[in-house]
Amino acid sequence: MKHVILGTAGHIDHGKTSLVMALTGVDTDRLKEEKERGITIELGFTSLDLPSGIQLGIIDVPGHEKFVKHMVAGVWGIDLVALVIAADEGVMPQTREHLDICRLLKVKKGLVVLTKIDLVDHELLELVKEEVSEIVQDTFLKSAPILSVSSVTGEGIPQLISTLDLLSQEIEGRSADGLFRLPIDRVFIMKGFGTVVTGTMISGNLSLGETVQVLPSGIEGKVRTLQVYNKSVEKAVAGERTAVNLQGIETSGIERGDVLTRPNTLKPTQLIDAYLEYLPDAPRALKHRTKQRFHIGTTLTNASIFLLDREELTPGESGFVQLRLERPVVALPQDRFVIRGSAAIQTVGGGIILDSHPDKHRRLSSSVIADLGLLKDGTGEQALQQHIHHSRMGGITLEDLLNRVEMPPHEVQSIIRKMAEKGALLLIDPEKLKVIESGQYQGLRDLALTQLREFHQRLPMKSGLSKEELRTKLPPEVDVKLFQILINNLIQLKEVVLEKDKLRLPSHQISSADEKGLVKRVETAVLKGGLQPPSPKELSEEWSEREEEVRAIFEHLVHEGILVKIKGEIYFHRVSFEKLKEELVTYLKSHQEITTPQFKEMTKASRKYVIPLIEYFDQIKLTLRLGEKRVLRGTSQNPEKKLS
Ligand SMILES: Nc1nc2c(ncn2[C@@H]2O[C@H](COP(=O)(O)OP(=O)(O)OP(=O)(O)O)[C@@H](O)[C@H]2O)c(=O)[nH]1
Ligand SMILES: [Mg+2]
């Protein structure tokens, strides 16, 4: 059976609830306060079986300006709107505001219902009709039917029913294969059953016994019973007014504005990119970072509006914005939203969500604007490609992609498959369906090879780099699985060699130095030099070996911890260095201080070595320089310590 949802809209007291009653026989004003005050406060729900067999769900909204937030929650996701205008009063402020809201939320179709015609004469009715055509021009209701009824006498009600039937037949049914999403508009306890939530299923479907999740809190529960228009069902689908009886969730854990989903599908967000239409009759220009009320689904929170493409948005203009929200909400691309002023509460604009999980953007950046332009005007496939591209070298999972584009999972999967077949992307995690753009993967591969090359250049005597070391040199978004795939791939293509846990380039050979025993010879020569060791240059000249090769061996020995590099060309053998260090500490412990000449005397070395050495001891924080003298750090001679 086809389901269509109709919402009422219109100024307070214009006869919306009476009209619903005339159509269905149900009084949707249930609250005591509503009865006493004669106004609607909360949303009302009922349904009507149309002659063609379509079931029309009806949401009755309040007209009072104080309850516009309930009205927005009610009409978000409806298929048809009945804009109700009392013939004896004509167009009033909330007539216009509700019409703006329906337009901003992109309600597809509707009709205008002039009520209370029993109270006016023909002339007045014609005047009101003129007024109506004026306000609906340039809106989706431009050529909508205008019906005249009296809920008191019943005049016009049969015509209204057949018009609703015709319009409903023109409404396209919703696809039930999107991600399941139900913005909650009511939460209550039913005796003997427990927690029940209701809402309009925006997309997907839900069956008895399934596990569901409440967002943003993340609480999970089970579907115990399911109802669509008061009838128990095994499965509810998109477009239906659905009541879900939840097992394992207390009513205190849920509130209106929450969204029911399946676990691990939708992710709440506090940062949203959008295209905002600022209404022509907004009171003043919208400045960068202005805080406004932000309505999406049945949720209301505050948003700071960052203007991305201009300094301010004047009434009547539209622009790209980034919304920073006070509380997390569930939102998907193509969703509609409304913004209302936070001081003078009035609808000032609304628009379409382009990305519900963006990065923070720089303002006035042409590349950011171009990307958002593509999300606004491009196809779903283009949006998908853009998100894969922007996931850079880390790649992106199917789950994340489904939160970034408005497409059912099977469509996203089929596009991914096609892109993979064309070689545009690689599947890096078949379990999570994680993909990486081929260009990004090439970049990652080049980066890994460059890192290896640089390592070999710096330390030619090392056989290679361990996997862990190489991973730390790659971007942090590269996870273990992707890294493993990269390494295996590089090994398979013989672009790197894995040998004794070390990765190296195939061209890298530990230089022939080892064969000549040069490494050992350098070590011996430096050790023999004691506190006046030879430099790489001196040794290379003495032995007629290439200077770079000898210097590389010195660096290798430093890396191995055998030599200590003091400065520039001065390398000491660790044995000589440690012996001197011990001698210096012993001296300072008994003499408290040492002058440079005294230190020179201790080393019996020339100034060329003495000055860099004593400065090195300062540098490694063994000694502290006080004028011409040095003392041990961290002892009683240390004035710094005394002060503290
Ligand atoms: N004479 C006459 N009175 C009507 C008609 N429709 C509604 N009324 C009266 O107008 C008053 C307001 O009607 P409601 O249906 O409560 O108006 P509403 O639009 O639902 O008001 P809110 O929900 O508070 O915005 C009630 O006293 C109704 O009896 C009608 O067709 N003819
Ligand atoms: Mg009402």
Side-chain angles (χ1 to χ4, degrees), residues 308 322 324 359-369:
L308 295 176
Q322 184 157 67
R324 304 200 178 161
D359 291 332
K360 282 191 177 169
H361 296 309
R362 266 178 306 121
R363 295 185 63 212
L364 311 174
S365 144
S366 53
S367 67
V368 169
I369 307 303

Side-chain angles (χ1 to χ4, degrees), residues 1 47 49 55 225-236 240-243:
M1 190 195 301
S47 68
D49 292 326
Q55 188 156 41
T225 59
L226 257 183
Q227 286 196 344
V228 173
Y229 302 112
N230 301 321
K231 283 198 192 79
S232 288
V233 292
E234 297 219 328
K235 183 177 182 179
E240 293 181 344
R241 284 289 314 164
T242 314

Side-chain angles (χ1 to χ4, degrees), residues 16-18 29 39-40 60-63:
K16 298 178 289 297
T17 307
S18 307
D29 280 352
I39 61 165
T40 304
D60 181 44
V61 308

Side-chain angles (χ1 to χ4, degrees), residues 10-19 29 38-41 60-64 84 115-119 149-153:
H11 197 72
I12 185 165
D13 259 353
H14 276 203
K16 298 178 289 297
T17 307
S18 307
L19 182 71
D29 280 352
I39 61 165
T40 304
I41 297 170
D60 181 44
V61 308
H64 197 297
V84 173
T115 54
K116 309 195 187 183
I117 54 162
D118 54 299
L119 299 180
V149 305
S150 166
S151 303
V152 171
T153 66

Side-chain angles (χ1 to χ4, degrees), residues 335-349:
D335 279 357
R336 299 280 161 171
F337 64 92
V338 163
I339 60 165
R340 306 185 76 225
S342 56
I345 303 173
Q346 169 194 352
T347 301
V348 290

Side-chain angles (χ1 to χ4, degrees), residues 176 180-182 201 203-212 221-228 232-238 240 242-247 260-263:
F180 162 61
R181 181 157 62 137
L182 184 101
M201 200 182 295
S203 59
N205 58 70
L206 183 66
S207 298
L208 279 182
E210 279 198 80
T211 300
V212 286
K222 260 207 159 98
V223 179
R224 193 198 321 220
T225 59
L226 257 183
Q227 286 196 344
V228 173
S232 288
V233 292
E234 297 219 328
K235 183 177 182 179
V237 298
E240 293 181 344
T242 314
V244 189
N245 174 208
L246 293 167
Q247 193 173 9
L260 205 61
T261 63
R262 279 196 187 90

